Amino acid sequence: MAISISLVLLLLILAVIFLRNGGLKISHALVCALFGFLMASTSMAPTIHDGISATARLVGDLHP
């Protein structure tokens, strides 16, 4: 749960930065958000979630 919230906050911060710099328009952000909601209801959602979780665990286990 903490990983999901952190990832959502990171993506939100990136979206705000892109919107402020003019690199992302509101319409593009809405299309991406709708695409994300639609992807969450497909059969690929568990696979995507597992991949993101595995990547987060891998990065979290790295010690410099």
Side-chain angles (χ1 to χ4, degrees):
M1 180 77 167
I3 293 173
S4 298
I5 293 172
S6 299
L7 184 60
V8 169
L9 287 176
L10 174 67
L11 292 175
L12 176 65
I13 290 169
L14 287 174
V16 168
I17 290 170
F18 287 146
L19 281 169
R20 286 183 167 248
N21 290 335
L24 180 69
K25 298 188 180 357
I26 296 290
S27 60
H28 297 150
L30 290 175
V31 168
C32 290
L34 289 173
F35 179 69
F37 282 115
L38 289 174
M39 283 295 292
S41 65
T42 64
S43 61
M44 286 182 54
T47 305
I48 294 169
H49 182 269
D50 292 342
I52 291 173
S53 295
T55 304
R57 277 193 307 274
L58 179 70
V59 171
D61 289 340
L62 294 176
H63 297 288

